[in-house]
Amino acid sequence: MFEKQNIKKLAPAALAFAFLGGTSYATYEHLSKPDTISNWVESNMPVVKARLDEKSTGANVAMIPADFSFASQKATAAVVHIKSTLKAERTVSQMEVPDELKEFFGGRNPFGQDAPQGRGRGEKPQASGSGVIINPDGYIVTNNHVVQGAESLEVTLADKRTFKAKVIGSDPNTDIALIQIEAKNLPALSFGSSENVKVGQWVLAVGNPYNLTSTVTAGIVSAKGRSINILGENSKAPVESFIQTDAAVNPGNSGGALVDLNGNLIGINTAIASPTGQFAGYSFAVPSSIAHKVVEDISKFGSVQRGYLGVGISEVDGEKVKAYDLKVDEGVRVENFAEQSAARESGIKVGDVITKIDGHTVESVAQLQEAIAQHKPSDKVVVNVNRDGSEKVITVTLKSSAGTMVAEKSAQTLDNLGIELQDLTAQQKKAWDVEHGVQVSQINAGKVRQNTDMQDGFVITKIDKTPVGSVQQAMKALEGKKGGVMIEGVYPGSQETQYYAIGL
């Protein structure tokens, strides 16, 4: 479970590029009916009906649920315990070359004649978390940080059966992952509508804290659209719009279910705000609207199809209202544009204040992220902006991060590898004595981090023996790669060629 020592700024005014993701329609059931206390009370379980003296108040007190057994029984049957065996830390000299890549080296080990094979002896570190069955055929949604770096995954069901699991895909930007076990006819939770969740609504958190299986805690939604700036450590375009609750969540609850009183999945428990590392009052869950979109894309396409507005934004506050003489006191102000910006091409301008997306009010960066994160490239969104006091409605056709109307396979491969690339300048080529190459500017969660010890700054000169001189050439060389890829290059200031063999 993620921990945050001190959360003072839940929605900073610092610029954040709204690189936000898209969707296709659900193959998993996505319910949209609102969850209300009265509907649930009348149809599911006994309640205590408190009523004030109508003569003195003229109003009734809301009905109070007597217990949460209906939602608890439904949710615990579909929540699993995940035990991950982590990869040992490895150096280049300890790595083995995958079979599909040995042909590049004539069967020899490029890391040295005496390089040991395997990872050595001794017990490997383990970690545990939770997951939610969302399909009877064994598909389970959990957190990316639960499966990140795992060599193997073992899933224990509520009925104590255990299975080996495989990772179908993951998305560090939302901290959501999809895994699968070989089993049929499993109890599954349906996705509920996180958009209809209300502050003050009762919710249950179900998971396996401290390896205590099938634990249920209750609380209320204490806030929505929270950003706690925690996903940026592992992702390049984090999407944070958490549901905040006071239901007790502790280490081991990561990836577990947040359900409404109908037992529908409205969030994936992900983080806690705590000075001690234990529950201290607040927990945070990825909304089902985001989680559903991510697993849907992963199951259909193998990666998240993310659409982008291509804007740099900051939240409107009292200081900005005064500094820019804004005519509205809520929303997000457009500060700048990405190079290939769908928003700019659609007529949005720097200084515009975005107040609504598809009719939904936008009061924070997190709310805008959540709204756009449900869309894919080529989707159209209706954006309401306030420009110098004038309200304008602009339709924006979202693009991919590369500025196209479709997600590119090569860009998806970079996401899977978890690397960001940048072109070399003439000065860098001269200083580092390289004729061509691209630099790894940042390493995020992905296969490179999991399977190699590559460091930021590495200069890639060849991909599968093909020289690369630009980011565009590198992306073309990676396009459609399956099975594995061999990356060759040098570190600035070193003449020693390094090789990284990565299975895809």
Side-chain angles (χ1 to χ4, degrees), residues 59-99:
N60 296 335
V61 174
M63 294 178 287
I64 304 171
D67 63 64
F68 302 109
S69 59
F70 173 80
S72 296
Q73 291 172 8
K74 183 177 177 181
T76 54
V79 172
V80 304
H81 182 221
I82 301 174
K83 183 171 69 175
S84 60
T85 300
L86 305 178
K87 291 182 173 67
E89 292 293 330
R90 296 184 294 172
T91 64
V92 172
S93 63
Q94 293 175 320
M95 292 180 58
E96 292 183 65
V97 182
D99 290 338

Side-chain angles (χ1 to χ4, degrees), residues 67 80 116 151 221 291 300 327 414 459-460 484:
D67 63 64
V80 304
E151 185 178 70
V221 174
K300 283 189 172 182
K327 308 305 179 184
L414 288 181
V459 176
I460 299 174

Side-chain angles (χ1 to χ4, degrees), residues 32-47:
S32 60
K33 66 178 181 179
D35 170 47
T36 63
I37 291 290
S38 57
N39 287 344
W40 169 76
V41 163
E42 294 299 334
S43 62
N44 290 308
M45 61 184 65
V47 296

Side-chain angles (χ1 to χ4, degrees), residues 40-220:
W40 169 76
V41 163
E42 294 299 334
S43 62
N44 290 308
M45 61 184 65
V47 296
V48 176
K49 295 184 179 181
R51 188 181 298 272
L52 295 177
D53 186 349
E54 295 182 5
K55 293 182 180 180
S56 60
T57 66
N60 296 335
V61 174
M63 294 178 287
I64 304 171
D67 63 64
F68 302 109
S69 59
F70 173 80
S72 296
Q73 291 172 8
K74 183 177 177 181
T76 54
V79 172
V80 304
H81 182 221
I82 301 174
K83 183 171 69 175
S84 60
T85 300
L86 305 178
K87 291 182 173 67
E89 292 293 330
R90 296 184 294 172
T91 64
V92 172
S93 63
Q94 293 175 320
M95 292 180 58
E96 292 183 65
V97 182
D99 290 338
E100 64 267 25
L101 296 173
K102 288 182 179 178
E103 62 179 300
F104 289 102
F105 300 95
R108 66 181 177 86
N109 186 342
F111 307 113
Q113 294 290 337
D114 299 324
Q117 301 299 304
R119 296 185 174 86
R121 297 180 180 180
E123 294 185 1
K124 298 174 182 177
Q126 293 184 334
S128 66
S130 303
V132 187
I133 302 170
I134 55 172
N135 181 284
D137 292 334
Y139 286 93
I140 298 168
V141 61
T142 185
N143 283 140
N144 173 70
H145 76 264
V146 170
V147 303
Q148 181 179 335
E151 185 178 70
S152 64
L153 297 171
E154 182 181 87
V155 170
T156 302
L157 305 184
D159 61 11
K160 309 304 181 184
R161 288 184 293 163
T162 61
F163 298 86
K164 293 295 183 183
K166 64 179 179 180
V167 177
I168 303 300
S170 61
D171 179 37
N173 289 323
T174 57
D175 198 24
I176 292 296
L178 181 66
I179 66 176
Q180 186 183 21
I181 60 176
E182 293 297 329
K184 301 291 184 181
N185 302 317
L186 298 178
L189 287 186
S190 299
F191 280 96
S193 173
S194 57
E195 295 178 358
N196 291 333
V197 170
K198 305 295 183 183
V199 173
Q201 172 182 326
W202 281 102
V203 290
L204 304 180
V206 186
N208 304 279
Y210 306 118
N211 289 317
L212 300 173
T213 58
S214 302
T215 297
V216 181
T217 57
I220 63 167

Side-chain angles (χ1 to χ4, degrees), residues 335-351:
E335 305 290 353
N336 51 51
F337 296 106
E339 184 175 346
Q340 299 291 334
S341 172
R344 179 173 55 192
E345 292 181 6
S346 299
I348 293 177
K349 298 181 178 180
V350 170

Side-chain angles (χ1 to χ4, degrees), residues 259-325:
V259 300
D260 61 24
L261 298 187
N262 290 316
N264 294 320
L265 186 63
I266 59 172
I268 301 298
N269 296 316
T270 298
I272 56 177
S274 172
T276 64
Q278 319 303 321
F279 179 72
Y282 298 110
S283 57
F284 303 89
V286 177
S288 60
S289 60
I290 294 177
H292 176 268
K293 189 266 175 193
V294 169
V295 299
E296 178 71 11
D297 279 0
I298 289 174
S299 65
K300 283 189 172 182
F301 308 109
S303 63
V304 179
Q305 308 295 292
R306 180 159 286 122
Y308 294 88
L309 277 175
V311 293
I313 54 177
S314 64
E315 291 181 9
V316 171
D317 56 21
E319 292 184 2
K320 280 191 172 57
V321 170
K322 183 177 180 180
Y324 296 106
D325 191 26

